[in-house]
Amino acid sequence: MLLLFAGSLVYLLFRQDVIFLSRVNQDVLHIFHISIERSDNILIYILLYCLPDGLWYAALLMSQVSFVQCGRMNKLWFGMAVALPFLLEALQGWHCIAGTFDLYDIITYLITLLIFMLCKKSLLFKS
C-alpha cells in the first residue's frame, strides 16, 4: 500500500491532469499542487513520469509474490504481472492502445524488476 500511495502522491502533488484525480474537486487539488518547471532535466522527468510507474509496478509485484508458490495458476498470474507493463509499453509503441511509448518507462520497469528479484530471490527461485 505504501508503494501505491507514494506513486499516487507524485500525481497528486505534481501531475494532477490524470484520470484517477479527475473526480476530485479542483479547489482541493489546488491545495496540494506543487508547481515544478518541466525543463529538459532528466532527473525531473524521471521523478514526474517514471517514478510513479516504477512504484506502482513494484506494488503489483509485491501483491503477487505471496501467491507464486501456491500452484501453477498463481505462477501464471505472477508471470502476467511481470510482463504487463512491458506489454502495455509495446502496445503503445505500436499504436494499438492510447498512450505514449517511453523507453525510460521500460528502463524503470527493468530496474524495478531487477531490484524486486534481488530482494525476493529466495521466494522466486524455490521449486
Side-chain angles (χ1 to χ4, degrees):
M1 292 305 287
L2 268 166
L3 294 168
L4 286 175
F5 176 75
S8 299
L9 193 60
V10 173
Y11 286 105
L12 177 65
L13 297 176
F14 305 109
R15 296 184 52 211
Q16 297 180 346
D17 58 340
V18 293
I19 293 173
F20 83 94
L21 291 175
S22 64
R23 298 223 179 238
V24 179
N25 184 304
Q26 290 298 315
D27 294 331
V28 173
L29 288 177
H30 184 69
I31 294 169
F32 295 102
H33 183 70
I34 297 173
S35 182
I36 189 166
E37 174 139 356
R38 296 177 184 171
S39 63
D40 290 337
N41 186 328
I42 189 66
L43 293 177
I44 291 176
Y45 181 85
I46 290 171
L47 169 74
L48 295 179
Y49 296 97
C50 300
L51 179 64
D53 291 345
L55 291 169
W56 287 6
Y57 183 44
L60 174 64
L61 295 174
M62 291 298 296
S63 71
Q64 298 292 310
V65 75
S66 62
F67 302 108
V68 81
Q69 295 180 0
C70 300
R72 288 186 181 174
M73 185 57 81
N74 289 326
K75 287 181 182 182
L76 176 66
W77 283 111
F78 180 74
M80 290 171 44
V82 168
L84 180 65
F86 300 101
L87 176 63
L88 292 175
E89 281 296 323
L91 291 173
Q92 289 173 8
W94 297 324
H95 306 290
C96 297
I97 62 172
T100 304
F101 173 80
D102 188 348
L103 186 58
Y104 289 115
D105 281 345
I106 292 175
I107 293 169
T108 300
Y109 299 140
L110 286 171
I111 292 169
T112 302
L113 181 59
L114 178 64
I115 292 170
F116 174 80
M117 289 175 62
L118 290 172
C119 290
K120 298 296 181 184
K121 184 177 179 183
S122 64
L123 290 175
L124 290 174
F125 296 110
K126 281 185 179 177
S127 301

